[in-house]
Amino acid sequence: MDPYSDRGQMTRAQAAAAEIDVGLRQYMLQVYNYMASGVALTGIVAYVVANTPAFFNAIFGTPLMWVVMLAPLGFIIFLNVKIASMSFAKAQILFWLFAGVMGMSLSTIFVIYTGESITRVFFIAAGTFGAMSLYGYTTKKDLSGWRSFLTMGLFGIIIAMVVNMFLQSSALQFAISVIGVLIFVGLTAYDTQKIKEIYLVSDSSEVQGKKAIMGAVKLYLDFVNLMIMLLHLFG
């Protein structure tokens, strides 16, 4: 065996690993930047709408309420179906529109809860999200086994929320909130690991950008839903 050849192969492998490591950190930073910016935009829009009576009443005092409430789901479906064929610039625009419309639909939390409650719960949610996302990023454990449990739990709380719209049970709402916190804590770690795993150093900047946006959408939804569940418990 040629020791110099082996050494050269090791050097190339180390260089490739270093390139992936640097690129992965930049990619994940892009995901987190989009996610945090989206949350900030949602919060600003929600606050402005809630504190502008004419705007708030124009939405929630008319059938337009249903359009605003359902529009975020439409954005998510459209992005998932069309992201591969659209340009990076269009994907960015749709992401910001999605975050803005979410702000309109979530403006009611500034009417229902006090500013102190929202601030306190935001920091609790941010700390919990950060810890679980860090776990998902750093753990060597394969979290793919969580998928079926988390998916079943997510559908379960959606069905329970629909049922509770008619029952108006405080006990059921409490159970939904507790289980919802556990589900979205788990999804934060799971989604972070999956976002990390789909990174490929060979992807073009356009493709990486679109992957970052879709990753940001997933983490954004995990954080927002975690905060809503915590508001139901502590707000």
Side-chain angles (χ1 to χ4, degrees):
M1 294 180 63
D2 184 351
Y4 294 101
S5 176
D6 291 344
R7 189 180 303 167
Q9 290 177 356
M10 289 178 62
T11 302
R12 287 193 294 272
Q14 290 169 347
E19 182 182 357
I20 291 173
D21 189 56
V22 171
L24 178 60
R25 286 200 300 270
Q26 293 175 341
Y27 164 71
M28 291 302 295
L29 183 60
Q30 189 178 19
V31 172
Y32 288 124
N33 283 340
Y34 275 122
M35 177 260 175
S37 299
V39 170
L41 177 59
T42 296
I44 292 169
V45 171
Y47 181 82
V48 170
V49 171
N51 287 277
T52 309
F55 200 179
F56 185 87
N57 292 331
I59 295 174
F60 293 97
T62 68
L64 182 61
M65 173 184 70
W66 297 107
V67 176
V68 171
M69 298 294 284
L70 295 174
L73 178 61
F75 276 105
I76 294 169
I77 295 172
F78 186 79
L79 277 168
N80 274 286
V81 172
K82 295 292 186 179
I83 187 74
S85 59
M86 71 176 63
S87 68
F88 176 46
K90 185 176 180 180
Q92 284 180 303
I93 292 171
L94 286 173
F95 175 76
W96 301 125
L97 288 173
F98 161 72
V101 172
M102 276 290 287
M104 293 182 190
S105 67
L106 293 176
S107 60
T108 53
I109 68 172
F110 284 97
V111 177
I112 298 171
Y113 302 102
T114 65
E116 181 183 355
S117 292
I118 294 170
T119 301
R120 181 176 66 249
V121 169
F122 173 83
F123 283 110
I124 294 172
T128 305
F129 174 89
M132 292 308 297
S133 189
L134 180 63
Y135 171 73
Y137 182 79
T138 58
T139 185
K140 302 299 182 183
K141 181 181 178 181
D142 183 7
L143 303 182
S144 59
W146 294 13
R147 180 178 180 178
S148 57
F149 169 78
L150 293 171
T151 302
M152 289 171 59
L154 184 60
F155 279 112
I157 61 173
I158 290 173
I159 293 171
M161 288 171 69
V162 172
V163 170
N164 204 39
M165 289 174 64
F166 301 97
L167 296 181
Q168 295 294 310
S169 167
S170 58
L172 180 56
Q173 180 59 58
F174 179 79
I176 291 170
S177 300
V178 171
I179 296 171
V181 167
L182 297 175
I183 293 297
F184 289 110
V185 162
L187 279 171
T188 298
Y190 173 82
D191 286 338
T192 300
Q193 186 176 82
K194 292 306 171 186
I195 291 166
K196 177 184 175 183
E197 288 176 352
I198 65 171
Y199 170 79
L200 291 174
V201 71
S202 59
D203 280 338
S204 66
S205 59
E206 175 99 355
V207 173
Q208 292 288 22
K210 290 192 286 185
K211 282 184 177 181
I213 287 174
M214 289 309 299
V217 169
K218 289 183 179 180
L219 294 183
Y220 169 99
L221 290 171
D222 292 339
F223 176 81
V224 169
N225 282 292
L226 174 61
M227 183 173 172
I228 290 171
M229 295 298 170
L230 287 170
L231 269 173
H232 290 161
L233 290 175
F234 304 119

